[in-house]
Amino acid sequence: SGIPEYNNFLQTIDIPKEKRTESHVQKLARMMSHLSFFKGLQMKIKLIRELSRTAFISKLKTGNTIILDGALTSNTYIYIILVGCVQVYIRHPENPKLSVKLGQKGEGDHFGTSKNPSSEEAYVKANENCSLLVLETHIMQELLHTEESVAQL
């Protein structure tokens, strides 16, 4: 999964958001900071801590899908694969019954956002049972925007 003390992480993240103490949030942020997703963004621990306040785990069983809302950038969540792998598809624009396979993503990869957004509906299908770390996109965008604004002062 890329997270040290993974079972401890799962126990902590299973605490309902409204019952998480500052200690829980700090512990989650420390553990999540080891994921390559955050290292790639050069995010500071305080930003990861804010994301960990509302983060949760989603289980996706083999064959189940997650539909990404139309344009990839309009998705509400960012999903980081902790365990398992998924296949990424885009529905054919003229025939929604047909799908185009885009590729596979595995442990440490993420989906739910794209640098090259598409208007076609995208979705992922689990190749095996998966555990996904789910982050709210709007919180991440707000945090990154605030961080950029402060850096420009």
Side-chain angles (χ1 to χ4, degrees):
S1 73
I3 294 180
E5 302 176 48
Y6 185 65
N7 288 333
N8 192 0
F9 170 79
L10 291 177
Q11 288 175 345
T12 306
I13 204 160
D14 278 344
I15 296 169
K17 295 175 217 175
E18 61 279 357
K19 292 186 178 182
R20 288 184 193 163
T21 66
E22 194 58 32
S23 174
H24 294 134
V25 169
Q26 288 177 4
K27 180 191 237 180
L28 287 171
R30 249 190 338 271
M31 292 175 173
M32 287 168 45
S33 70
H34 291 276
L35 291 170
S36 60
F37 175 81
F38 293 111
K39 290 178 182 173
L41 292 174
Q42 299 297 309
M43 291 187 79
K44 295 183 177 152
I45 193 75
K46 68 179 184 174
L47 299 180
I48 299 171
R49 189 169 49 237
E50 290 306 311
L51 284 170
S52 68
R53 291 184 193 285
T54 59
F56 61 95
I57 297 291
S58 178
K59 302 281 186 180
L60 193 60
K61 292 186 178 184
T62 304
N64 286 0
T65 60
I66 293 177
I67 306 266
L68 306 176
D69 309 329
L72 293 175
T73 55
S74 70
N75 199 22
T76 307
Y77 299 107
I78 296 169
Y79 302 87
I80 302 172
I81 302 169
L82 300 177
V83 175
C85 64
V86 298
Q87 193 69 48
V88 183
Y89 298 90
I90 287 187
R91 292 200 199 284
H92 193 281
E94 283 97 43
N95 185 350
K97 292 182 181 181
L98 295 176
S99 296
V100 177
K101 194 183 291 188
L102 292 181
Q104 185 169 297
K105 294 191 175 267
E107 291 181 12
D109 291 334
H110 69 281
F111 58 91
T113 60
S114 175
K115 291 179 182 172
N116 303 308
S118 169
S119 59
E120 291 88 17
E121 181 182 81
Y123 66 97
V124 297
K125 186 174 187 177
N127 290 345
E128 58 189 349
N129 290 341
C130 298
S131 291
L132 309 170
L133 176 62
V134 185
L135 307 172
E136 294 183 34
T137 305
H138 77 276
I139 292 175
M140 186 156 167
Q141 289 169 343
E142 287 171 21
L143 290 170
L144 291 174
H145 178 71
T146 302
E147 187 71 11
E148 286 172 10
S149 298
V150 169
Q152 291 174 1
L153 293 177

mmCIF file of all heavy atoms in Angstrom, residues 16-53:
data_model
loop_
_atom_site.group_PDB
_atom_site.id
_atom_site.type_symbol
_atom_site.label_atom_id
_atom_site.label_comp_id
_atom_site.label_asym_id
_atom_site.label_seq_id
_atom_site.Cartn_x
_atom_site.Cartn_y
_atom_site.Cartn_z
ATOM 1 N N PRO A 16 -15.074 7.731 12.480
ATOM 2 C CA PRO A 16 -15.909 8.700 11.762
ATOM 3 C C PRO A 16 -15.282 10.097 11.778
ATOM 4 O O PRO A 16 -14.689 10.513 12.769
ATOM 5 C CB PRO A 16 -17.229 8.687 12.544
ATOM 6 C CG PRO A 16 -17.239 7.348 13.226
ATOM 7 C CD PRO A 16 -15.805 7.029 13.527
ATOM 8 N N LYS A 17 -15.437 10.822 10.677
ATOM 9 C CA LYS A 17 -14.815 12.140 10.514
ATOM 10 C C LYS A 17 -15.110 13.067 11.683
ATOM 11 O O LYS A 17 -14.231 13.773 12.166
ATOM 12 C CB LYS A 17 -15.303 12.797 9.223
ATOM 13 C CG LYS A 17 -14.898 12.074 7.978
ATOM 14 C CD LYS A 17 -15.537 12.724 6.760
ATOM 15 C CE LYS A 17 -15.918 11.632 5.783
ATOM 16 N NZ LYS A 17 -16.637 12.122 4.652
ATOM 17 N N GLU A 18 -16.365 13.057 12.124
ATOM 18 C CA GLU A 18 -16.768 13.976 13.198
ATOM 19 C C GLU A 18 -16.184 13.594 14.563
ATOM 20 O O GLU A 18 -16.185 14.395 15.485
ATOM 21 C CB GLU A 18 -18.296 14.100 13.275
ATOM 22 C CG GLU A 18 -19.051 12.812 13.568
ATOM 23 C CD GLU A 18 -19.263 11.906 12.345
ATOM 24 O OE1 GLU A 18 -18.886 12.268 11.223
ATOM 25 O OE2 GLU A 18 -19.816 10.812 12.561
ATOM 26 N N LYS A 19 -15.646 12.381 14.691
ATOM 27 C CA LYS A 19 -15.063 11.939 15.964
ATOM 28 C C LYS A 19 -13.534 11.935 15.951
ATOM 29 O O LYS A 19 -12.915 11.606 16.947
ATOM 30 C CB LYS A 19 -15.576 10.541 16.316
ATOM 31 C CG LYS A 19 -17.055 10.529 16.653
ATOM 32 C CD LYS A 19 -17.502 9.178 17.137
ATOM 33 C CE LYS A 19 -18.976 9.233 17.495
ATOM 34 N NZ LYS A 19 -19.466 7.974 18.003
ATOM 35 N N ARG A 20 -12.940 12.303 14.821
ATOM 36 C CA ARG A 20 -11.482 12.337 14.740
ATOM 37 C C ARG A 20 -10.925 13.498 15.550
ATOM 38 O O ARG A 20 -11.343 14.631 15.396
ATOM 39 C CB ARG A 20 -11.015 12.490 13.287
ATOM 40 C CG ARG A 20 -11.220 11.247 12.479
ATOM 41 C CD ARG A 20 -10.671 11.400 11.086
ATOM 42 N NE ARG A 20 -11.180 10.289 10.276
ATOM 43 C CZ ARG A 20 -11.179 10.252 8.972
ATOM 44 N NH1 ARG A 20 -10.666 11.263 8.286
ATOM 45 N NH2 ARG A 20 -11.670 9.228 8.327
ATOM 46 N N THR A 21 -9.961 13.158 16.395
ATOM 47 C CA THR A 21 -9.288 14.202 17.172
ATOM 48 C C THR A 21 -8.124 14.755 16.358
ATOM 49 O O THR A 21 -7.750 14.191 15.326
ATOM 50 C CB THR A 21 -8.746 13.624 18.497
ATOM 51 O OG1 THR A 21 -7.711 12.669 18.171
ATOM 52 C CG2 THR A 21 -9.838 12.961 19.327
ATOM 53 N N GLU A 22 -7.525 15.819 16.839
ATOM 54 C CA GLU A 22 -6.353 16.386 16.166
ATOM 55 C C GLU A 22 -5.226 15.354 16.119
ATOM 56 O O GLU A 22 -4.483 15.278 15.155
ATOM 57 C CB GLU A 22 -5.903 17.660 16.880
ATOM 58 C CG GLU A 22 -4.924 18.485 16.090
ATOM 59 C CD GLU A 22 -5.432 18.932 14.725
ATOM 60 O OE1 GLU A 22 -6.638 19.166 14.551
ATOM 61 O OE2 GLU A 22 -4.587 19.021 13.805
ATOM 62 N N SER A 23 -5.129 14.533 17.168
ATOM 63 C CA SER A 23 -4.122 13.476 17.212
ATOM 64 C C SER A 23 -4.346 12.458 16.094
ATOM 65 O O SER A 23 -3.400 12.018 15.434
ATOM 66 C CB SER A 23 -4.159 12.793 18.578
ATOM 67 O OG SER A 23 -3.301 11.688 18.596
ATOM 68 N N HIS A 24 -5.612 12.081 15.862
ATOM 69 C CA HIS A 24 -5.941 11.149 14.770
ATOM 70 C C HIS A 24 -5.555 11.759 13.425
ATOM 71 O O HIS A 24 -4.968 11.091 12.571
ATOM 72 C CB HIS A 24 -7.442 10.819 14.743
ATOM 73 C CG HIS A 24 -7.924 10.068 15.931
ATOM 74 N ND1 HIS A 24 -9.071 10.415 16.596
ATOM 75 C CD2 HIS A 24 -7.423 8.993 16.576
ATOM 76 C CE1 HIS A 24 -9.261 9.574 17.609
ATOM 77 N NE2 HIS A 24 -8.263 8.704 17.610
ATOM 78 N N VAL A 25 -5.901 13.022 13.237
ATOM 79 C CA VAL A 25 -5.630 13.714 11.975
ATOM 80 C C VAL A 25 -4.122 13.775 11.714
ATOM 81 O O VAL A 25 -3.651 13.509 10.605
ATOM 82 C CB VAL A 25 -6.261 15.123 11.985
ATOM 83 C CG1 VAL A 25 -5.777 15.963 10.813
ATOM 84 C CG2 VAL A 25 -7.788 15.018 11.971
ATOM 85 N N GLN A 26 -3.352 14.093 12.744
ATOM 86 C CA GLN A 26 -1.897 14.164 12.593
ATOM 87 C C GLN A 26 -1.308 12.798 12.256
ATOM 88 O O GLN A 26 -0.417 12.682 11.416
ATOM 89 C CB GLN A 26 -1.255 14.733 13.857
ATOM 90 C CG GLN A 26 -1.519 16.217 14.016
ATOM 91 C CD GLN A 26 -0.939 16.774 15.304
ATOM 92 O OE1 GLN A 26 -0.266 16.074 16.061
ATOM 93 N NE2 GLN A 26 -1.207 18.042 15.560
ATOM 94 N N LYS A 27 -1.823 11.760 12.908
ATOM 95 C CA LYS A 27 -1.346 10.391 12.649
ATOM 96 C C LYS A 27 -1.642 9.989 11.207
ATOM 97 O O LYS A 27 -0.776 9.465 10.501
ATOM 98 C CB LYS A 27 -2.038 9.435 13.622
ATOM 99 C CG LYS A 27 -1.640 7.988 13.474
ATOM 100 C CD LYS A 27 -2.577 7.121 14.296
ATOM 101 C CE LYS A 27 -1.828 6.294 15.276
ATOM 102 N NZ LYS A 27 -2.728 5.438 16.075
ATOM 103 N N LEU A 28 -2.874 10.269 10.728
ATOM 104 C CA LEU A 28 -3.232 9.945 9.343
ATOM 105 C C LEU A 28 -2.347 10.707 8.361
ATOM 106 O O LEU A 28 -1.862 10.146 7.379
ATOM 107 C CB LEU A 28 -4.707 10.285 9.086
ATOM 108 C CG LEU A 28 -5.730 9.358 9.729
ATOM 109 C CD1 LEU A 28 -7.132 9.933 9.590
ATOM 110 C CD2 LEU A 28 -5.655 7.966 9.139
ATOM 111 N N ALA A 29 -2.131 11.983 8.627
ATOM 112 C CA ALA A 29 -1.313 12.810 7.732
ATOM 113 C C ALA A 29 0.110 12.274 7.644
ATOM 114 O O ALA A 29 0.688 12.200 6.555
ATOM 115 C CB ALA A 29 -1.313 14.259 8.206
ATOM 116 N N ARG A 30 0.678 11.883 8.783
ATOM 117 C CA ARG A 30 2.033 11.328 8.793
ATOM 118 C C ARG A 30 2.105 10.072 7.931
ATOM 119 O O ARG A 30 3.026 9.892 7.139
ATOM 120 C CB ARG A 30 2.455 10.997 10.229
ATOM 121 C CG ARG A 30 3.525 11.859 10.796
ATOM 122 C CD ARG A 30 4.088 11.383 12.112
ATOM 123 N NE ARG A 30 3.290 10.493 12.928
ATOM 124 C CZ ARG A 30 2.403 10.885 13.846
ATOM 125 N NH1 ARG A 30 2.195 12.157 14.062
ATOM 126 N NH2 ARG A 30 1.750 9.999 14.557
ATOM 127 N N MET A 31 1.109 9.201 8.091
ATOM 128 C CA MET A 31 1.102 7.950 7.333
ATOM 129 C C MET A 31 0.843 8.202 5.848
ATOM 130 O O MET A 31 1.492 7.608 4.990
ATOM 131 C CB MET A 31 0.051 7.000 7.908
ATOM 132 C CG MET A 31 0.383 6.502 9.287
ATOM 133 S SD MET A 31 -0.985 5.510 9.932
ATOM 134 C CE MET A 31 -0.268 4.897 11.444
ATOM 135 N N MET A 32 -0.101 9.093 5.529
ATOM 136 C CA MET A 32 -0.441 9.382 4.137
ATOM 137 C C MET A 32 0.703 10.085 3.410
ATOM 138 O O MET A 32 0.829 9.967 2.192
ATOM 139 C CB MET A 32 -1.711 10.248 4.075
ATOM 140 C CG MET A 32 -2.975 9.466 4.406
ATOM 141 S SD MET A 32 -4.466 10.473 4.699
ATOM 142 C CE MET A 32 -4.448 11.649 3.390
ATOM 143 N N SER A 33 1.532 10.793 4.136
ATOM 144 C CA SER A 33 2.624 11.542 3.493
ATOM 145 C C SER A 33 3.628 10.621 2.788
ATOM 146 O O SER A 33 4.384 11.071 1.950
ATOM 147 C CB SER A 33 3.348 12.424 4.518
ATOM 148 O OG SER A 33 4.097 11.634 5.420
ATOM 149 N N HIS A 34 3.583 9.324 3.087
ATOM 150 C CA HIS A 34 4.484 8.363 2.437
ATOM 151 C C HIS A 34 4.010 7.944 1.047
ATOM 152 O O HIS A 34 4.761 7.328 0.300
ATOM 153 C CB HIS A 34 4.651 7.111 3.319
ATOM 154 C CG HIS A 34 5.407 7.382 4.579
ATOM 155 N ND1 HIS A 34 6.777 7.382 4.634
ATOM 156 C CD2 HIS A 34 4.970 7.700 5.822
ATOM 157 C CE1 HIS A 34 7.163 7.675 5.865
ATOM 158 N NE2 HIS A 34 6.079 7.872 6.597
ATOM 159 N N LEU A 35 2.755 8.274 0.707
ATOM 160 C CA LEU A 35 2.233 7.896 -0.605
ATOM 161 C C LEU A 35 2.889 8.727 -1.703
ATOM 162 O O LEU A 35 3.062 9.939 -1.553
ATOM 163 C CB LEU A 35 0.715 8.104 -0.656
ATOM 164 C CG LEU A 35 -0.112 7.161 0.214
ATOM 165 C CD1 LEU A 35 -1.550 7.624 0.277
ATOM 166 C CD2 LEU A 35 -0.029 5.740 -0.318
ATOM 167 N N SER A 36 3.209 8.098 -2.812
ATOM 168 C CA SER A 36 3.870 8.801 -3.915
ATOM 169 C C SER A 36 2.996 9.929 -4.456
ATOM 170 O O SER A 36 3.510 10.926 -4.946
ATOM 171 C CB SER A 36 4.235 7.823 -5.030
ATOM 172 O OG SER A 36 3.082 7.188 -5.538
ATOM 173 N N PHE A 37 1.679 9.813 -4.345
ATOM 174 C CA PHE A 37 0.766 10.866 -4.799
ATOM 175 C C PHE A 37 1.115 12.202 -4.157
ATOM 176 O O PHE A 37 1.166 13.229 -4.818
ATOM 177 C CB PHE A 37 -0.678 10.475 -4.459
ATOM 178 C CG PHE A 37 -1.689 11.539 -4.783
ATOM 179 C CD1 PHE A 37 -2.152 11.688 -6.087
ATOM 180 C CD2 PHE A 37 -2.179 12.384 -3.806
ATOM 181 C CE1 PHE A 37 -3.083 12.668 -6.394
ATOM 182 C CE2 PHE A 37 -3.106 13.363 -4.107
ATOM 183 C CZ PHE A 37 -3.561 13.500 -5.402
ATOM 184 N N PHE A 38 1.360 12.190 -2.857
ATOM 185 C CA PHE A 38 1.655 13.435 -2.144
ATOM 186 C C PHE A 38 3.080 13.908 -2.403
ATOM 187 O O PHE A 38 3.332 15.102 -2.480
ATOM 188 C CB PHE A 38 1.405 13.266 -0.648
ATOM 189 C CG PHE A 38 -0.053 13.065 -0.335
ATOM 190 C CD1 PHE A 38 -0.508 11.848 0.124
ATOM 191 C CD2 PHE A 38 -0.962 14.082 -0.528
ATOM 192 C CE1 PHE A 38 -1.857 11.663 0.398
ATOM 193 C CE2 PHE A 38 -2.312 13.907 -0.270
ATOM 194 C CZ PHE A 38 -2.761 12.697 0.195
ATOM 195 N N LYS A 39 3.997 12.989 -2.545
ATOM 196 C CA LYS A 39 5.382 13.374 -2.831
ATOM 197 C C LYS A 39 5.474 14.049 -4.191
ATOM 198 O O LYS A 39 6.201 15.012 -4.375
ATOM 199 C CB LYS A 39 6.305 12.160 -2.749
ATOM 200 C CG LYS A 39 6.469 11.658 -1.336
ATOM 201 C CD LYS A 39 7.345 10.440 -1.264
ATOM 202 C CE LYS A 39 7.425 9.972 0.180
ATOM 203 N NZ LYS A 39 8.104 8.720 0.330
ATOM 204 N N GLY A 40 4.686 13.551 -5.153
ATOM 205 C CA GLY A 40 4.674 14.133 -6.487
ATOM 206 C C GLY A 40 4.155 15.561 -6.493
ATOM 207 O O GLY A 40 4.510 16.361 -7.337
ATOM 208 N N LEU A 41 3.297 15.891 -5.552
ATOM 209 C CA LEU A 41 2.733 17.234 -5.471
ATOM 210 C C LEU A 41 3.562 18.162 -4.593
ATOM 211 O O LEU A 41 3.262 19.344 -4.475
ATOM 212 C CB LEU A 41 1.306 17.173 -4.902
ATOM 213 C CG LEU A 41 0.271 16.515 -5.786
ATOM 214 C CD1 LEU A 41 -1.052 16.383 -5.045
ATOM 215 C CD2 LEU A 41 0.060 17.318 -7.059
ATOM 216 N N GLN A 42 4.596 17.615 -3.951
ATOM 217 C CA GLN A 42 5.423 18.403 -3.030
ATOM 218 C C GLN A 42 4.546 19.085 -1.969
ATOM 219 O O GLN A 42 4.720 20.254 -1.653
ATOM 220 C CB GLN A 42 6.242 19.454 -3.796
ATOM 221 C CG GLN A 42 7.200 18.871 -4.818
ATOM 222 C CD GLN A 42 8.270 17.989 -4.199
ATOM 223 O OE1 GLN A 42 8.938 18.387 -3.271
ATOM 224 N NE2 GLN A 42 8.406 16.771 -4.702
ATOM 225 N N MET A 43 3.555 18.348 -1.478
ATOM 226 C CA MET A 43 2.642 18.925 -0.492
ATOM 227 C C MET A 43 3.265 18.943 0.890
ATOM 228 O O MET A 43 3.908 17.984 1.296
ATOM 229 C CB MET A 43 1.324 18.138 -0.455
ATOM 230 C CG MET A 43 0.502 18.310 -1.699
ATOM 231 S SD MET A 43 -1.105 17.529 -1.532
ATOM 232 C CE MET A 43 -1.947 18.771 -0.571
ATOM 233 N N LYS A 44 3.026 20.007 1.582
ATOM 234 C CA LYS A 44 3.500 20.129 2.949
ATOM 235 C C LYS A 44 2.590 19.316 3.858
ATOM 236 O O LYS A 44 1.404 19.127 3.572
ATOM 237 C CB LYS A 44 3.497 21.596 3.375
ATOM 238 C CG LYS A 44 4.493 22.403 2.573
ATOM 239 C CD LYS A 44 4.540 23.822 3.051
ATOM 240 C CE LYS A 44 5.613 24.549 2.245
ATOM 241 N NZ LYS A 44 5.365 25.948 2.113
ATOM 242 N N ILE A 45 3.137 18.865 4.972
ATOM 243 C CA ILE A 45 2.389 18.008 5.901
ATOM 244 C C ILE A 45 1.120 18.705 6.401
ATOM 245 O O ILE A 45 0.102 18.056 6.597
ATOM 246 C CB ILE A 45 3.290 17.521 7.075
ATOM 247 C CG1 ILE A 45 2.613 16.395 7.856
ATOM 248 C CG2 ILE A 45 3.668 18.655 7.987
ATOM 249 C CD1 ILE A 45 2.620 15.075 7.152
ATOM 250 N N LYS A 46 1.142 20.031 6.551
ATOM 251 C CA LYS A 46 -0.065 20.718 7.037
ATOM 252 C C LYS A 46 -1.205 20.610 6.023
ATOM 253 O O LYS A 46 -2.368 20.521 6.398
ATOM 254 C CB LYS A 46 0.219 22.176 7.388
ATOM 255 C CG LYS A 46 0.536 23.069 6.232
ATOM 256 C CD LYS A 46 0.765 24.494 6.696
ATOM 257 C CE LYS A 46 0.992 25.388 5.482
ATOM 258 N NZ LYS A 46 1.083 26.770 5.829
ATOM 259 N N LEU A 47 -0.889 20.568 4.725
ATOM 260 C CA LEU A 47 -1.925 20.399 3.715
ATOM 261 C C LEU A 47 -2.468 18.974 3.733
ATOM 262 O O LEU A 47 -3.675 18.757 3.611
ATOM 263 C CB LEU A 47 -1.380 20.740 2.329
ATOM 264 C CG LEU A 47 -0.880 22.166 2.126
ATOM 265 C CD1 LEU A 47 -0.378 22.353 0.702
ATOM 266 C CD2 LEU A 47 -1.949 23.176 2.430
ATOM 267 N N ILE A 48 -1.577 18.011 3.890
ATOM 268 C CA ILE A 48 -2.008 16.612 3.972
ATOM 269 C C ILE A 48 -2.879 16.418 5.212
ATOM 270 O O ILE A 48 -3.877 15.700 5.178
ATOM 271 C CB ILE A 48 -0.792 15.659 3.986
ATOM 272 C CG1 ILE A 48 0.015 15.832 2.694
ATOM 273 C CG2 ILE A 48 -1.243 14.205 4.144
ATOM 274 C CD1 ILE A 48 1.346 15.113 2.697
ATOM 275 N N ARG A 49 -2.527 17.091 6.296
ATOM 276 C CA ARG A 49 -3.310 17.000 7.531
ATOM 277 C C ARG A 49 -4.747 17.476 7.275
ATOM 278 O O ARG A 49 -5.704 16.857 7.724
ATOM 279 C CB ARG A 49 -2.637 17.807 8.637
ATOM 280 C CG ARG A 49 -3.248 17.609 9.984
ATOM 281 C CD ARG A 49 -2.430 18.184 11.131
ATOM 282 N NE ARG A 49 -2.002 19.545 10.898
ATOM 283 C CZ ARG A 49 -0.733 19.952 10.919
ATOM 284 N NH1 ARG A 49 0.232 19.107 11.152
ATOM 285 N NH2 ARG A 49 -0.424 21.208 10.712
ATOM 286 N N GLU A 50 -4.913 18.570 6.532
ATOM 287 C CA GLU A 50 -6.261 19.066 6.224
ATOM 288 C C GLU A 50 -7.046 18.061 5.387
ATOM 289 O O GLU A 50 -8.229 17.840 5.625
ATOM 290 C CB GLU A 50 -6.192 20.422 5.508
ATOM 291 C CG GLU A 50 -5.735 21.557 6.392
ATOM 292 C CD GLU A 50 -6.563 21.701 7.666
ATOM 293 O OE1 GLU A 50 -7.810 21.719 7.582
ATOM 294 O OE2 GLU A 50 -5.968 21.778 8.753
ATOM 295 N N LEU A 51 -6.387 17.445 4.409
ATOM 296 C CA LEU A 51 -7.052 16.424 3.595
ATOM 297 C C LEU A 51 -7.455 15.211 4.433
ATOM 298 O O LEU A 51 -8.493 14.601 4.195
ATOM 299 C CB LEU A 51 -6.136 15.963 2.462
ATOM 300 C CG LEU A 51 -5.998 16.909 1.282
ATOM 301 C CD1 LEU A 51 -4.881 16.424 0.365
ATOM 302 C CD2 LEU A 51 -7.299 17.019 0.518
ATOM 303 N N SER A 52 -6.634 14.862 5.410
ATOM 304 C CA SER A 52 -6.903 13.656 6.200
ATOM 305 C C SER A 52 -8.110 13.828 7.133
ATOM 306 O O SER A 52 -8.643 12.846 7.619
ATOM 307 C CB SER A 52 -5.664 13.233 6.987
ATOM 308 O OG SER A 52 -5.358 14.168 7.987
ATOM 309 N N ARG A 53 -8.560 15.053 7.341
ATOM 310 C CA ARG A 53 -9.745 15.284 8.181
ATOM 311 C C ARG A 53 -10.993 14.630 7.582
ATOM 312 O O ARG A 53 -11.863 14.167 8.307
ATOM 313 C CB ARG A 53 -10.003 16.779 8.366
ATOM 314 C CG ARG A 53 -8.982 17.474 9.198
ATOM 315 C CD ARG A 53 -9.330 18.936 9.434
ATOM 316 N NE ARG A 53 -8.193 19.657 9.970
ATOM 317 C CZ ARG A 53 -7.759 19.569 11.220
ATOM 318 N NH1 ARG A 53 -8.384 18.786 12.071
ATOM 319 N NH2 ARG A 53 -6.708 20.248 11.612
#
